[in-house]
Structure formats: structure tokens, C-alpha cells
Amino acid sequence: MGCRQTKVEKDVETKENFDKLEDKSSVPQVDPRLPIDAREAFKLKQSWKGIKRKIEETGVEMFIRLFKTNSHLKYVFTKFTQLETEDDMRQNEALEQHATFVMTTVDEAISNIDNYNYVTDHLHRTGATHQRFVDFSSENFAKIKEPFLEAVKITLGDRYTDYMANVYTKTIDFILVTLRNGYLDKNQCYELQSSKSPIKTEADQANGVSSDQSLPKIEISANPEEK
């Protein structure tokens, strides 16, 4: 009798929690400037736990798909120019390191998605750090959208429902636009690094510019400020 009563009580509690989630009036509201509502934010953070457990693999998958559709972006990075095949990319430690760093930035935003001011400030500052890279442009942020969604879908599998696909799409759009806004904000201007790129661009070669005269390219570093 006692076991049956405990099971009934748990079933009732589960139903009550579900009803509360369905009843938007009982769910804490999020900042209206966010592209998702409170229920979607809750579902997003629950779903994201599955990505965090495989954040390195998801990040590498994202960059593989990015470079497949935008191969020229490899030349923005000093250590990715020689990566020709998918196997090369999967086995490259520098790519895994950078992919994980990028995913950590996304993780910080999603894990705190209900704190609009913190998230926008974090993304704004991160976007602004890209100002010092001569080969980078604001359009590059948007190019990560589809590779990100495809990588998330692969990692989540059946858990990537149509509902969650919509939530992730709205969220990554918000993240990428905010990064772009930070990059374009000249009030957060970062000076070009004094270090020189060891890789020459095609334009440098055509103009006879040696490696030590090239403007900075993106160096892969464990230090977030030296992305």
C-alpha cells in the first residue's frame, strides 16, 4: 500500500510540474528583448545539457561543415590552411581547441540565456575582439548558423525535434547578430596585434609582401583574448 501511494504521489507531482510548465502565467518571464519565451528558454537549457556532454565533438563537426561550404574561411586562420580532408580536420588538435573555444562562448550565452544584459554584454565583447583581424568580416558570423544547427542536430539525434529546431534557430540568430553588433561597434575597438602572421595570404604573395609584413591573422590560443 505504501509503495502504491508513493507512486501515485510522484505521478501527481510530475503532472503538476508539467502543468506549471504549460501554464505560461506560472513560469517566470524572460526579458522581452530575447527572441524566445520562458518555456522555450527552459527547454533550451535542458536540451543544451546534451550538447555540453559532447561539446568538443559538436564544435569540430560545426567547423568541418563550415569549411565544406566556405573553404576560403580556412585562410583566416594561421593553422587551418593545410587541412584538406575531413579526416585532417577531425584529427587536428588546433581545430578541436578553437572549435571548443567557440562552443564555450555559445555555451556561456545559452546557459545564461534568461539574463539578457549579461549575455548581450558577453557576446558584444567577444564580437569586438574580432576587430583586430584584417581577414575577418562581419558577414562571417552569419556563416556559422547552418553548420551550428547541423552539428547540434547530429549530436542530439531524435531529441532534435521540430520544436527544438525552431528554438535553436531563433537562439543562434540572436547570438550571431549580437556578436556581429559587437564587431561593428567602434566604441569597443581592439588594436591590431603587434605579432606577425607566419602565413601569407594570396593577396600578400601577389603584392610581394613577405610573411613578417603581413597584418595579423587569427592565431589559435588558449587565451580567450588571443583567439
Side-chain angles (χ1 to χ4, degrees):
M1 290 292 290
C3 293
R4 178 177 178 79
Q5 183 178 7
T6 300
K7 182 179 184 303
V8 171
E9 289 175 350
K10 287 184 177 179
D11 289 343
V12 171
E13 181 181 357
T14 299
K15 184 178 184 304
E16 289 177 347
N17 289 337
F18 181 78
D19 289 342
K20 288 179 180 179
L21 186 60
E22 291 296 309
D23 180 11
K24 293 184 178 180
S25 64
S26 64
V27 179
Q29 298 302 300
V30 297
D31 194 299
R33 291 171 292 180
L34 286 171
I36 58 178
D37 60 29
R39 182 173 185 271
E40 291 172 326
F42 175 83
K43 291 287 190 179
L44 175 64
K45 289 198 284 187
Q46 292 298 308
S47 171
W48 187 250
K49 292 178 181 179
I51 300 298
K52 289 188 72 168
R53 287 192 287 269
K54 296 183 176 181
I55 198 164
E56 294 89 356
E57 297 96 318
T58 305
V60 170
E61 189 67 44
M62 176 179 70
F63 268 90
I64 287 174
R65 291 173 178 274
L66 173 67
F67 291 151
K68 277 184 177 181
T69 55
N70 299 274
S71 60
H72 63 282
L73 289 181
K74 286 191 298 183
Y75 299 97
V76 175
F77 303 86
T78 58
K79 296 185 179 181
F80 299 163
T81 56
Q82 304 303 316
L83 302 180
E84 298 296 338
T85 68
E86 185 172 319
D87 286 341
D88 290 340
M89 297 179 197
R90 292 192 185 282
Q91 297 170 13
N92 187 271
E93 293 184 5
L95 177 59
E96 179 179 342
Q97 177 187 353
H98 184 68
T100 302
F101 171 68
V102 172
M103 288 297 288
T104 300
T105 297
V106 177
D107 171 56
E108 188 70 13
I110 290 180
S111 297
N112 297 280
I113 195 64
D114 44 8
N115 187 339
Y116 178 86
N117 290 333
Y118 172 79
V119 170
T120 52
D121 182 66
H122 167 65
L123 295 174
H124 220 250
R125 290 176 180 274
T126 301
T129 63
H130 294 70
Q131 293 174 5
R132 66 181 184 268
F133 302 121
V134 68
D135 292 333
F136 196 88
S137 69
S138 61
E139 289 77 14
N140 289 344
F141 290 112
K143 292 175 182 176
I144 203 71
K145 175 182 176 178
E146 293 305 323
F148 170 81
L149 293 174
E150 291 170 3
V152 167
K153 181 178 181 180
I154 290 173
T155 299
L156 293 179
D158 293 340
R159 293 168 292 173
Y160 191 75
T161 61
D162 290 343
Y163 176 87
M164 288 312 305
N166 182 51
V167 174
Y168 273 108
T169 297
K170 290 190 291 186
T171 302
I172 194 61
D173 280 340
F174 165 71
I175 289 174
L176 296 177
V177 167
T178 309
L179 285 168
R180 180 176 181 272
N181 290 342
Y183 174 82
L184 295 174
D185 184 359
K186 300 308 178 183
N187 291 323
Q188 293 194 42
C189 185
Y190 284 73
E191 294 183 358
L192 292 173
Q193 292 174 309
S194 58
S195 61
K196 305 302 180 183
S197 169
I199 304 296
K200 289 192 292 184
T201 65
E202 293 179 359
D204 290 333
Q205 294 172 340
N207 293 322
V209 179
S210 62
S211 297
D212 61 351
Q213 292 176 302
S214 300
L215 288 172
K217 297 166 73 69
I218 296 181
E219 299 280 359
I220 308 304
S221 169
N223 186 340
E225 288 301 315
E226 297 178 358
K227 178 181 159 206

